[in-house]
Structure formats: structure tokens, C-alpha cells
Amino acid sequence: MATPILICDDSRLARRQLARSLPDDWDIQIEYAEHGLHCIEQIRAIKPEILFLDLNMPQMDGYEVLEAIQEEGLEVLTVVVSGDIQPTAHARVIELGAIDFIKKPCSPEKLDEIIEKHGIKDKAMRERLAHKLGEQIEPEIRDIYQELTNVAMGQAGDLLARLLNVFVKLPIPNVNVLEVSELNMALQSIDANASTSGVCQGFIGGGVSGEALILLNDSSFKEIASLMNYEGEVNEKVELELLMDIANILIGSVLSGLSKQLDMPFSQGHPVVMGQHCDVAKLVQTNKSRWQRTLAIEISYGIENHDVNFDLMLLFTEDSLKTLKYKVQYLLED
């Protein structure tokens, strides 16, 4: 299924030039808008996943389009393409929700750079497929998975907060049934441009099995070492120890929390280092043979006022889905 793309510019030449600059290997369906009002109408009608937006246009300019997108809650990734290269213009469109700014005339190389930087191709496909596959989970069951995870991740966050003496930001967990290809894209979309280290740990119990993955941005290590009052050199050995410490806390406490709520004890395997100081795409490529169709629960932790971010993914095997569904349906019974 082609990704719907909308190009909005009052110049026909500019629209066509941008369309010709898009990657040849991108499966897309391109639509056009001639001014801002037409752009909003097109977004409502065709629901594009990507919008390339000019700023200086009649009837409604690009700034007003961005404001309307926010006000109406329209879901579209917007890249501004404009000849207005003032720093304030750049800053303003980012504040209004655009993900990036490209100066006209736009070269294929610059477009490739922007698309690669933001993982736009993978992100659009992942969100579309995740939405489609997510419909396989009944809303009531999904709510239970999220609530069980909320409780479990809260316990993990509490342990981490006490250890580091910080406030841990807790997200709403994402729950989806994913094929291995979509799982690869989901993992690659996690800060795809940053160097990352990862650990995985298998678990099994009561007819349910899977793996827990911790992905930690490498830029977080020095802050974590400081929070743990480590005073020596933060070398690769120390980073590995810190990664294992974080993994043990988060994976152990989340699985413990789920185990108690489901009345299902889990046995945990030995943690395995997926990779250190490499991009997520490499981690995925190295480990993807072990993952098949799965129930994936993603939790993205952050620490307030510190540049520390890590993702925990629980990947339950397809064979586990029936048992898990039975367990959570039992929780719904009066």
C-alpha cells in the first residue's frame, strides 16, 4: 500500500520539482494542494502521512496551515519547504509542529538527508501497519494490557527513582501485535540516528514466553554514572555494568509486577548484550532472526531534568497470545 504524500505550494513548477526530487524507491501516492485552504481540505479528505509545505502562499499561508493542523488535531508529519530562510522562520515552524525545514530550491540529496534523518519512510509505514494490526486486539483487552503494564512499570520507575534519587517520567505504554518486519521498523524508529546499546533477556512461565529488550541511548551513560555517584572513568566496561544494572532493575521489576497481577510466575534467562555503541538498525539486523510475530509492549522511560532516555520492549511470542488473552479475560469477570 502506497504512502499518501501531499505537496502544498502555490507554484506548479515548485510542486513538480519537489515531486521529482523524492526518492525513486519510495512507494508513495502524491497529491497536490495549490494554497493553504486547499491544503487543509486535502488533509481532511485524503489523510496524507507526509506533508511538504510552502510558507508564502495566497489565501492561507504555511504558518496558518500549521496552526490549523494543530487546532483541528490533524495527524500528518510536516516538512516545510520555503525560500524564507530567516532563522526566526525556521524556529517558528518548528514551534508550530513541523518536523524540519528545507530551503528552496530543494535538491534530491537534501530531501534524502531529511527523510533519512527522521526515518520518515519507516515511520509512516510502521504507523500505518501498527494501526492495522492493532485492530486485531479488542479495545477492552488492549486497555487491560495497558493497565497491567502501567502498574508494573510504575513499580520499576519507583525502584529506579529511589536508586538514582530522581523523578522518572512514565509514559502511556504502546500495545500492538506486530509481524517481524514491523517490529524491525518499530525498533529502528527509536532514536534511529543515535548510538545505542541494548540488552535482551528471555522469560517463560505458565504457557507464556518472550523476551524483554532494553535500549539505552549512549549519551545517557555519563549522566547515569553521575547519578549513581560513580567517580572513575566511564569506559566501555563501566558502561556495560551500568547497562546491566538498569536492565536488571527495569526488566526484573516489570516482569515481577506483571507476574503478580496475572498470577503467573516467570523464570528469567541470563541477560544477553545485543550490541554496544551502534545504531538501532544494526542491533535489529543482528538479532531479528530471533523475533517473529509478537505482542509488543513498548515503554519509553525518561528522567526529568537529565538527558537520560531508555526504551523497554516486552515481546511476547505468538504462541503466548491465547494464554494471555484467557488470563486478562478472567480479570474482567465479576
Side-chain angles (χ1 to χ4, degrees):
M1 180 179 176
T3 299
I5 302 292
L6 179 61
I7 297 175
C8 178
D9 198 301
D10 60 322
S11 165
R12 181 180 179 184
L13 175 64
R15 294 195 299 269
R16 294 299 178 184
Q17 188 269 337
L18 179 57
R20 287 194 297 268
S21 298
L22 293 170
D24 293 332
D25 62 348
W26 195 4
D27 183 16
I28 54 178
Q29 176 64 45
I30 303 176
E31 301 289 345
Y32 300 97
E34 299 175 2
H35 50 73
L37 284 175
H38 189 204
C39 180
I40 295 300
E41 292 170 358
Q42 287 284 69
I43 294 174
R44 294 178 187 137
I46 66 176
K47 296 180 172 56
E49 294 184 1
I50 316 295
L51 167 64
F52 293 98
L53 177 67
D54 187 25
L55 288 182
N56 299 319
M57 298 180 293
Q59 300 191 49
M60 177 185 277
D61 65 23
Y63 299 111
E64 292 170 313
V65 170
L66 289 168
E67 289 170 353
I69 288 171
Q70 287 188 333
E71 289 171 2
E72 295 190 30
L74 302 173
E75 295 185 5
V76 61
L77 297 175
T78 304
V79 176
V80 168
V81 185
S82 176
D84 187 348
I85 59 174
Q86 301 175 75
T88 52
H90 191 167
R92 185 178 174 192
V93 299
I94 298 301
E95 288 176 2
L96 288 171
I99 63 171
D100 216 318
F101 184 104
I102 305 176
K103 180 180 71 173
K104 286 184 176 180
C106 179
S107 67
E109 293 75 22
K110 183 60 178 179
L111 262 178
D112 274 338
E113 179 184 326
I114 295 294
I115 289 168
E116 181 68 25
K117 173 184 175 182
H118 295 285
I120 288 175
K121 286 192 285 187
D122 286 346
K123 184 180 296 184
M125 186 181 300
R126 179 176 68 89
E127 290 177 351
R128 184 172 68 251
L129 293 172
H131 175 74
K132 174 173 67 70
L133 288 167
E135 293 175 351
Q136 298 176 7
I137 306 176
E138 299 92 326
E140 196 171 44
I141 299 298
R142 179 192 298 278
D143 288 345
I144 297 176
Y145 286 148
Q146 286 187 327
E147 181 57 27
L148 293 175
T149 307
N150 272 328
V151 173
M153 74 182 191
Q155 296 175 5
D158 177 62
L159 284 176
L160 192 63
R162 292 173 186 274
L163 173 67
L164 302 179
N165 193 29
V166 294
F167 178 79
V168 176
K169 295 181 287 187
L170 301 178
I172 298 173
N174 292 320
V175 179
N176 284 297
V177 175
L178 301 175
E179 305 290 342
V180 64
S181 57
E182 289 105 49
L183 175 60
N184 292 343
M185 287 185 286
L187 289 171
Q188 290 179 41
S189 72
I190 300 172
D191 212 357
N193 299 301
S195 181
T196 305
S197 297
V199 169
C200 63
Q201 187 170 14
F203 58 88
I204 188 170
V208 172
S209 61
E211 285 190 306
L213 278 59
I214 288 286
L215 299 177
L216 179 63
N217 190 308
D218 284 348
S219 64
S220 302
F221 281 117
K222 287 186 179 180
E223 292 243 22
I224 293 175
S226 175
L227 289 169
M228 297 182 73
N229 299 316
Y230 184 82
E231 297 180 353
E233 178 189 356
V234 182
N235 55 32
E236 191 165 296
K237 180 180 178 182
V238 172
E239 289 176 342
L240 181 58
E241 291 174 355
L242 293 172
L243 178 63
M244 286 297 190
D245 287 342
I246 296 296
N248 284 333
I249 292 170
L250 294 182
I251 294 175
S253 53
V254 166
L255 288 178
S256 174
L258 290 176
S259 173
K260 290 176 182 177
Q261 295 176 87
L262 293 170
D263 191 23
M264 179 186 294
F266 290 125
S267 297
Q268 295 174 223
H270 294 292
V272 176
V273 178
M274 299 166 60
Q276 284 184 271
H277 312 301
C278 52
D279 59 35
V280 177
K282 184 176 180 181
L283 293 183
V284 171
Q285 186 64 34
T286 304
N287 295 276
K288 69 179 183 180
S289 62
R290 63 202 295 153
W291 301 319
Q292 300 301 322
R293 187 172 183 269
T294 183
L295 170 67
I297 299 177
E298 179 187 351
I299 308 166
S300 297
Y301 288 94
I303 295 179
E304 189 175 66
N305 300 323
H306 294 277
D307 183 22
V308 178
N309 296 282
F310 31 83
D311 287 83
L312 168 62
M313 293 196 76
L314 299 175
L315 308 177
F316 295 88
T317 62
E318 183 176 8
D319 293 340
S320 303
L321 297 182
K322 184 176 180 180
T323 301
L324 281 171
K325 185 176 180 179
Y326 171 79
K327 280 285 188 179
V328 299
Q329 283 178 328
Y330 176 78
L331 295 176
L332 285 174
E333 294 179 1
D334 295 331

